Amino acid sequence: MAGNSAAIKLNENGIPDFDALPLRKGDPKYSAWGLYGDEDELGTLNRLTDERVAEAAKNEIKTGLRISLNWPLNAQKDSGFFNRKLFHQDLFAKPPRCVNDDIWTFNTQVSSQWDGLRHYAYQKEKKFYNGVTMEDIHAEGSEVNGIQAWAQKGIVGRGILVDHHSWRLEQIISKKPNPDPRLVNFDHFATTPIPLEDIHACLESQGTEIKFGDILFIRSGWIQTHQTLSSTSPSLLSSHQSHNPPSFCGLEPSVPLFRFLWSNFSAVAGDQPSLECWPPLATRDPVNYGDELSLHEVMLAGWGMPIGELFDLEELARECRDRKRWSFFVVSEVCNVKGGVASPPNALAIF
């Protein structure tokens, strides 16, 4: 570990306790700038040491079964969310040879994606991870905080799935005739929070152990709902897509959740367009939540923790339920694009 770490008290996992954040006076709230050096661009991926990856491979790969976690790049065919450019393919033959080429154009966040460290800053301070500014990023030839730093070793290690969607439906059935209204009325296309207590309850129900450095995946059921609406109610889906800003279910930003994520994981991904419930608290209620921070600010800009969105976790969830095992090995190789903001994950879960 480099940088200012010699003066920082580290716990048994080699990181400062959450209550020690920020590490330097004057840095944004909950930030860990300088922990791995002022020039670091890996953030919490530094937790994926060779030793942890080797141990995860040894303990998690038993059969060699592989499951893709990638939603098709063209899954959103007619319109999408956040006004992002949809995937487009130009396919063309190259006569006189019997040969084809194609050209793809798309926004890197229109399907499964890892948000990189150029994506989201602390909004008040206007600073990205390790204090990088918008001017730094847009300087000619700048690669700072680009996705290429993650491409060198990938995002590889032990993954665990929190199948919140299955857990929620099971809770409703088991508590009839008086299930929790909060679970019954869960709306994937509203700003519906998934609180930390639900994550803990789901993990306990699954019997899933967390190991430091894990890659966390949370299945809300959003992609399943999107697929249903796409085939049965396309006009309703289009209505959701036209909202500005759009609304989604997701993790509930809270200090206990920040503590939980910081203390355990190297990266976190979900199956909805925004890992956190959207719009953020401060955006939708600035009077009561004006000083609150979004997950994007703290995770990306504060810690350098990758945020995954629109991961297809449907087949993974089925396999986990069949095996009664919610841990697996993860291999994700982001695209090696210098100065890239985000990337398709190119991710596999291996059992």
Side-chain angles (χ1 to χ4, degrees):
M1 209 173 282
N4 301 315
S5 58
I8 300 168
K9 184 179 180 181
L10 306 179
N11 62 23
E12 67 276 9
N13 291 318
I15 64 170
D17 289 335
F18 178 78
D19 291 332
L21 304 179
L23 300 180
R24 304 182 301 203
K25 186 177 180 180
D27 283 352
K29 199 172 184 179
Y30 307 131
S31 67
W33 294 356
L35 176 61
Y36 299 103
D38 293 338
E39 306 301 318
D40 176 64
E41 297 180 341
L42 294 180
T44 54
L45 294 183
N46 284 288
R47 300 174 178 188
L48 294 174
T49 62
D50 292 348
E51 293 76 17
R52 287 196 179 100
V53 172
E55 181 182 6
K58 177 181 177 181
N59 294 333
E60 299 299 330
I61 300 177
K62 302 299 183 183
T63 69
L65 177 70
R66 290 141 291 166
I67 295 175
S68 171
L69 307 181
N70 309 292
W71 208 28
L73 282 169
N74 60 351
Q76 300 190 79
K77 296 184 181 300
D78 299 319
S79 59
F81 296 91
F82 298 109
N83 295 315
R84 287 172 173 153
K85 183 178 179 63
L86 298 180
F87 178 89
H88 177 73
Q89 178 192 30
D90 286 313
L91 172 67
F92 51 94
K94 302 183 71 175
R97 296 174 298 162
C98 187
V99 171
N100 291 303
D101 277 4
D102 64 353
I103 296 174
W104 301 351
T105 57
F106 62 99
N107 186 300
T108 52
Q109 294 172 277
V110 77
S111 185
S112 303
Q113 74 203 250
W114 285 114
D115 286 349
L117 302 186
R118 288 182 155 210
H119 176 50
Y120 211 97
Y122 277 103
Q123 296 302 288
K124 180 180 178 181
E125 293 85 355
K126 302 187 184 305
K127 297 284 184 70
F128 296 84
Y129 179 61
N130 260 351
V132 169
T133 66
M134 188 69 86
E135 291 74 22
D136 293 333
I137 288 174
H138 286 269
E140 185 175 357
S142 171
E143 300 172 7
V144 63
N145 277 355
I147 204 79
Q148 79 283 342
W150 295 357
Q152 301 312 305
K153 295 185 178 181
I155 301 174
V156 180
R158 181 178 186 261
I160 61 171
L161 175 68
V162 171
D163 191 353
H164 178 269
H165 184 61
S166 294
W167 171 84
R168 181 177 65 83
L169 297 180
E170 289 166 0
Q171 293 301 301
I172 293 171
I173 293 171
S174 65
K175 299 295 174 60
K176 286 184 176 180
N178 297 305
D180 185 342
R182 180 178 62 82
L183 299 180
V184 173
N185 299 321
F186 191 95
D187 188 344
H188 293 91
F189 285 93
T191 312
T192 311
I194 298 175
L196 180 58
E197 64 185 87
D198 282 7
I199 295 173
H200 281 309
C202 182
L203 286 168
E204 182 178 0
S205 175
Q206 295 176 178
T208 305
E209 175 191 3
I210 297 172
K211 295 184 179 180
F212 180 76
D214 281 352
I215 303 165
L216 174 64
F217 297 88
I218 300 169
R219 176 179 177 246
S220 71
W222 188 91
I223 279 186
Q224 184 182 93
T225 301
H226 180 280
Q227 291 170 335
T228 299
L229 291 180
S230 181
S231 60
T232 64
S233 303
S235 61
L236 179 56
L237 179 60
S238 178
S239 175
H240 287 308
Q241 291 168 332
S242 66
H243 291 169
N244 187 23
S247 298
F248 309 113
C249 66
L251 296 181
E252 179 181 58
S254 68
V255 173
L257 181 72
F258 292 155
R259 184 188 304 275
F260 173 70
L261 298 180
W262 168 258
S263 301
N264 292 294
F265 302 106
S266 59
V268 184
D271 62 351
Q272 63 279 68
S274 176
L275 179 66
E276 61 191 303
C277 56
W278 200 264
L281 293 170
T283 300
R284 64 179 182 270
D285 190 352
V287 175
N288 294 317
Y289 295 100
D291 292 331
E292 296 295 328
L293 296 170
S294 70
L295 278 177
H296 278 65
E297 289 176 275
V298 175
M299 292 173 65
L300 290 175
W303 308 337
M305 180 178 285
I307 288 178
E309 293 160 338
L310 291 175
F311 275 59
D312 187 350
L313 305 177
E314 296 304 298
E315 185 179 352
L316 176 65
R318 287 190 290 271
E319 192 64 34
C320 287
R321 288 195 300 272
D322 289 346
R323 293 173 178 265
K324 293 182 170 48
R325 169 189 163 193
W326 287 265
S327 66
F328 38 86
F329 192 69
V330 176
V331 177
S332 175
E333 171 65 318
V334 301
C335 297
N336 189 5
V337 177
K338 293 181 178 181
V341 171
S343 172
N346 307 307
L348 291 171
I350 308 175
F351 285 87

